[in-house]
Amino acid sequence: MKRADAILSDSGIFTRSEAKKAIYEGRVFADGKKIVSPSEKINENAVFTVDGKEINTEKYVYLMMNKPQGYICENGSENSVLSLVPKEYYRKGLFTVGRLDKDTEGLLLITNDGDFAHAVASPKRNIRKLYFAELEREVTAEDIAAFANGFETKNGEKFLPALLEKGEGKTATVTVSEGKYHEVKRLFLLTGNRVLYLKRLKEGGLWLDTSLSPGETRAITDEEKELVFAE
Ligand code: URA
């Protein structure tokens, strides 16, 4: 049990004084019962509504976005992907789990749980990421073999083996597990090819929800969160 105003302010949705005001205005309900005083002790698992809309009072948030092109994975910029997240999450202190380039689309996880973000990015976990790419030229059997061997650049930088699969025409899918900066684009450049369009489809065992249109976000379930570590 916890004070009603504390639950609302800890959730990041309101400041303490905004929470008190909303309660005095009679706009806040817990499990269908109007809260009359900010000091009322409420079960933290109660379902809260403000103005009839259910709010998320959980400390940690885990979202999946279908990232659109033209947005960057950094906070504080007007074209940050975080500006596309629904307003109810604005005060949650969100950040992206890893990064996609400005012109890359697709599956992007967003959270305020540093441990989760760290675990997903950790090289020890080797979480595989699947991308769909449109390319300047068709993939050859030599390209597939080169990706499977991994690369070492002239300045000694190493790329771990990646699974390249030819798609229709000048398309391909590629699975990488490192998460280096511009990794997929650089891998194709190493075979004299160029990525024209890139979309992330899957992280670990979690697929992009294709019912999300570009720029749309939804919370992921606990099972989906586990799936990220499942493959
Ligand atoms: N690899 C890239 O080159 N770009 C991305 O956005 C993701 C992986």
Side-chain angles (χ1 to χ4, degrees):
M1 301 286 270
K2 201 164 149 185
R3 282 178 65 111
D5 58 349
I7 296 177
L8 289 184
S9 60
D10 286 356
S11 74
I13 292 161
F14 291 111
T15 62
R16 195 71 167 241
S17 57
E18 285 167 349
K20 285 187 174 145
K21 187 164 176 278
I23 290 168
Y24 285 133
E25 287 169 351
R27 296 159 51 207
V28 185
F29 289 71
D31 285 339
K33 192 171 154 283
K34 190 191 279 185
I35 298 171
V36 288
S37 161
S39 64
E40 223 175 288
K41 293 280 198 324
I42 309 285
N43 183 331
E44 283 162 72
N45 297 323
V47 175
F48 276 76
T49 61
V50 177
D51 301 328
K53 236 187 101 194
E54 191 173 321
I55 56 163
N56 183 346
T57 54
E58 278 171 31
K59 185 171 171 196
Y60 290 123
V61 173
Y62 306 90
L63 305 173
M64 169 195 293
M65 175 183 283
N66 182 1
K67 180 193 173 291
Q69 289 188 329
Y71 287 83
I72 58 171
C73 294
E74 255 166 64
N75 217 338
S77 149
E78 79 180 61
N79 56 2
S80 163
V81 288
L82 297 169
S83 68
L84 301 171
V85 168
K87 271 208 180 76
E88 63 190 278
Y89 295 115
Y90 275 14
R91 293 218 184 111
K92 291 277 193 184
L94 297 177
F95 42 85
T96 65
V97 178
R99 288 180 180 192
L100 290 176
D101 296 336
K102 189 173 181 183
D103 59 357
T104 302
E105 289 185 8
L107 176 58
L108 181 66
L109 296 171
I110 296 174
T111 188
N112 55 356
D113 179 349
D115 289 342
F116 174 72
H118 206 77
V120 176
S122 165
K124 282 192 214 130
R125 299 247 187 188
N126 263 325
I127 290 183
R128 290 189 289 176
K129 286 138 189 142
L130 173 70
Y131 293 86
F132 167 80
E134 287 174 15
L135 304 160
E136 203 166 59
R137 64 160 175 81
E138 282 192 21
V139 162
T140 63
E142 290 76 44
D143 296 335
I144 293 170
F147 272 60
N149 274 329
F151 292 91
E152 183 163 353
T153 63
K154 275 184 215 130
N155 53 17
E157 191 184 2
K158 291 195 172 89
F159 287 82
L160 289 177
L163 176 66
L164 175 61
E165 291 172 286
K166 188 180 167 351
E168 241 175 66
K170 297 177 189 170
T171 70
T173 55
V174 57
T175 304
V176 295
S177 55
E178 275 188 288
K180 280 184 195 283
Y181 185 61
H182 292 329
E183 184 170 8
V184 175
K185 291 176 186 165
R186 288 161 75 206
L187 284 172
F188 280 105
L189 281 175
L190 285 164
T191 57
N193 205 342
R194 206 161 67 89
V195 171
L196 304 179
Y197 168 85
L198 192 62
K199 181 172 187 170
R200 182 154 66 195
L201 302 177
K202 194 180 179 194
E203 286 194 81
L206 179 67
W207 286 92
L208 172 67
D209 178 347
T210 52
S211 71
L212 292 174
S213 42
E216 256 190 322
T217 300
R218 73 158 170 83
I220 59 170
T221 62
D222 288 346
E223 291 74 34
E224 288 177 319
K225 203 179 126 199
E226 291 308 312
L227 270 179
V228 177
F229 302 104
E231 268 185 27

